[in-house]
Amino acid sequence: MKEQIAQIEAGKALPLVEEFYTIQGEGFHTGKAAYFIRIGGCDIGCRWCDSKITWSAAMHGAKSIEDIVHKVLATPAKSVVVTGGEPTLYNLNPLTSLLKKHQVKTFLETSGAYDISGDWDWICLSPKTNKHPKLSSLSKANELKVIIYNFEEDIAWAELQARKVTNDCKLYLQPEWSRFKKNIDDIVNYVKTNPQWELSLQSHKFAGVP
């Protein structure tokens, strides 16, 4: 156990929940093939989280980054999405370095609540009110994706975060899946009135793919 903890702390292994090759369903890269690496451990605790299985890192065994990358390379994947959970709880420098060594692009999905390690081609930051994002994370975001559950509250939160990212950061509003019908019309109308924002849909759920 101590050895596993040491490996994780060094970034040489990660508490892996699942890994799979699929089509990206959300945000800027929607529709593109990518290999997903879902890492366990999250202390954000969103009530509508669709990946609560990731919250406890202890539930998931540590897997070496060499084994992870070996499986990536067994597919035609040209990019890897590292998600969670909250992946920035870990040292991701070794993983991204190894992926880059094999010319695989690296994409990160994070709440921005912690310092970001690793070498990333694209950072999607989805900030949560439960644990506010760090300014250093907001400044690195290529994409700001705000989940809309309670429309008025979450739109105000989205606009607050949009003022903190860089001018070239892409801005997305995404209806939370269980409240899609309740919120979609309001979100569409908001985007039409505020065209600096774009609509993100969880297209993989509509298509029935992972």
Side-chain angles (χ1 to χ4, degrees):
M1 180 62 72
K2 287 184 178 180
E3 183 178 348
Q4 277 194 356
I5 292 173
Q7 289 286 304
I8 290 173
E9 289 179 346
K12 295 181 180 179
L14 293 165
L16 186 70
V17 177
E18 59 181 345
E19 53 186 331
F20 51 94
Y21 186 44
T22 189
I23 301 297
Q24 293 190 70
E26 305 174 8
F28 182 79
H29 292 288
T30 293
K32 299 176 184 177
Y35 195 94
F36 276 69
I37 297 169
R38 190 179 301 282
I39 301 173
C42 185
D43 60 357
I44 310 299
C46 302
R47 62 179 171 177
W48 41 259
C49 177
D50 60 3
S51 301
K52 291 181 179 178
I53 191 175
T54 67
W55 287 9
S56 174
M59 290 177 58
H60 309 285
K63 189 166 186 179
S64 74
I65 60 170
E66 286 82 7
D67 286 346
I68 294 172
V69 173
H70 177 75
K71 284 198 171 182
V72 173
L73 298 178
T75 74
K78 302 300 181 184
S79 61
V80 161
V81 179
V82 180
T83 185
E86 179 43 67
T88 59
L89 288 168
Y90 306 99
N91 175 9
L92 299 174
N93 289 312
L95 174 64
T96 57
S97 178
L98 188 55
L99 288 167
K100 291 283 190 180
K101 181 179 178 181
H102 293 283
Q103 291 78 50
V104 177
K105 290 186 177 180
T106 54
F107 300 164
L108 175 68
E109 294 187 353
T110 176
S111 70
Y114 296 95
D115 289 328
I116 295 173
S117 61
D119 181 7
W120 302 100
D121 293 291
W122 191 266
I123 295 174
C124 173
L125 193 148
S126 185
K128 308 299 190 298
T129 57
N130 305 45
K131 201 176 184 80
H132 290 199
K134 302 188 73 168
L135 287 175
S136 60
S137 298
L138 285 158
S139 68
K140 295 178 180 179
N142 302 103
E143 171 183 349
L144 179 72
K145 184 177 68 183
V146 181
I147 309 304
I148 305 300
Y149 184 85
N150 290 317
F151 180 77
E152 291 185 1
E153 294 175 16
D154 293 334
I155 286 293
W157 171 249
E159 291 292 0
L160 178 63
Q161 303 314 306
R163 292 195 287 270
K164 301 174 185 178
V165 296
T166 60
N167 291 334
D168 59 351
C169 181
K170 301 288 186 180
L171 305 179
Y172 289 94
L173 300 174
Q174 179 171 299
E176 194 277 323
W177 182 251
S178 71
R179 310 253 290 191
F180 179 85
K181 290 183 179 179
K182 177 178 177 60
N183 288 322
I184 186 60
D185 289 344
D186 286 335
I187 295 171
V188 167
N189 288 332
Y190 192 85
V191 169
K192 288 164 68 177
T193 306
N194 301 272
Q196 70 273 23
W197 290 95
E198 297 180 38
L199 174 65
S200 171
L201 298 176
Q202 291 180 290
S203 64
H204 57 294
K205 293 190 175 183
F206 287 104
V209 296

